[in-house]
């Protein structure tokens, strides 16, 4: 994390219950929860989950949407989920995630093959929703 090349830092997802969302991402994807204790204590506005050493998902409560005023008109678009977030996993973890989701009756899409992503064509991918309706794509490359 010491070089300063351009990379994705974080994505903000709108959620109804940030603590539950952090639990979902921890349980199903193994993402490390961050600042959950501070959020429940009221000392920070939202918790996050760590995807890897350089990327996190911020789990913002819908109540923050009205405060999105960093640019004129920004609050009008705040509160809408992104189209989807894609995570890349090793093949074994990909299979384990799909099995965990199915065991919990979380609906998953059919498998797709060779869909294009940041590292070229992915061997397999599928989609699932989190409890707030955010769509997550899981994929693995060869």
């Amino acid at each position: 994390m010491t070089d300063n090349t351009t990379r994705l830092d974080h994505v903000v997802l709108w959620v109804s219950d940030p603590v539950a969302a952090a639990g979902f991402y921890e349980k199903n994807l193994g993402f490390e929860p961050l600042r959950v204790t501070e959020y429940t204590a009221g000392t920070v506005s939202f918790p996050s989950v760590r995807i890897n050493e350089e990327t996190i998902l911020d789990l913002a409560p819908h109540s923050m949407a009205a405060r999105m005023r960093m640019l004129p008109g920004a609050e009008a678009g705040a509160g809408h989920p992104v189209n989807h977030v894609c995570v890349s996993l090793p093949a074994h973890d990909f299979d384990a995630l799909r099995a965990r989701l199915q065991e919990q009756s979380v609906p998953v899409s059919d498998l797709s093959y060779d869909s294009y992503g940041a590292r070229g064509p992915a061997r397999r991918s599928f989609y699932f929703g989190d409890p707030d309706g955010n769509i997550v794509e899981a994929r693995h490359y060869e």
Side-chain angles (χ1 to χ4, degrees):
M1 293 194 335
T2 57
D3 78 55
N4 288 318
T5 58
T6 302
R7 56 186 49 141
L8 182 63
D9 185 85
H10 70 277
V11 173
V12 178
L13 297 179
W14 294 106
V15 299
S16 59
D17 181 342
V19 174
F24 176 86
Y25 284 100
E26 178 183 24
K27 179 178 181 179
N28 290 294
L29 287 155
F31 293 172
E32 175 191 1
L34 306 171
R35 303 178 349 141
V36 173
T37 302
E38 295 89 334
Y39 173 74
T40 58
T43 59
V44 298
S45 299
F46 55 87
S48 304
V49 290
R50 181 163 299 287
I51 297 172
N52 59 37
E53 68 181 26
E54 43 188 47
T55 310
I56 61 175
L57 292 177
D58 291 334
L59 305 170
H62 291 286
S63 60
M64 284 184 61
R67 299 188 334 221
M68 297 294 103
R69 300 177 195 273
M70 68 288 288
L71 295 171
E75 70 277 4
H80 299 285
V82 298
N83 180 278
H84 74 276
V85 174
C86 181
V87 295
S88 173
L89 306 162
H92 177 269
D93 293 341
F94 174 91
D95 292 329
L97 169 62
R98 189 171 175 85
R100 263 192 316 278
L101 293 169
Q102 290 174 324
E103 287 169 7
Q104 297 175 50
S105 300
V106 175
V108 298
S109 72
D110 292 336
L111 291 172
S112 297
Y113 300 91
D114 300 320
S115 57
Y116 183 77
R119 295 167 42 199
R123 174 71 183 100
R124 297 178 297 164
S125 65
F126 71 92
Y127 296 86
F128 62 95
D130 77 4
D132 290 285
N134 293 298
I135 303 300
V136 180
E137 178 184 1
R139 63 174 45 209
H140 79 86
Y141 293 91
E142 288 295 332

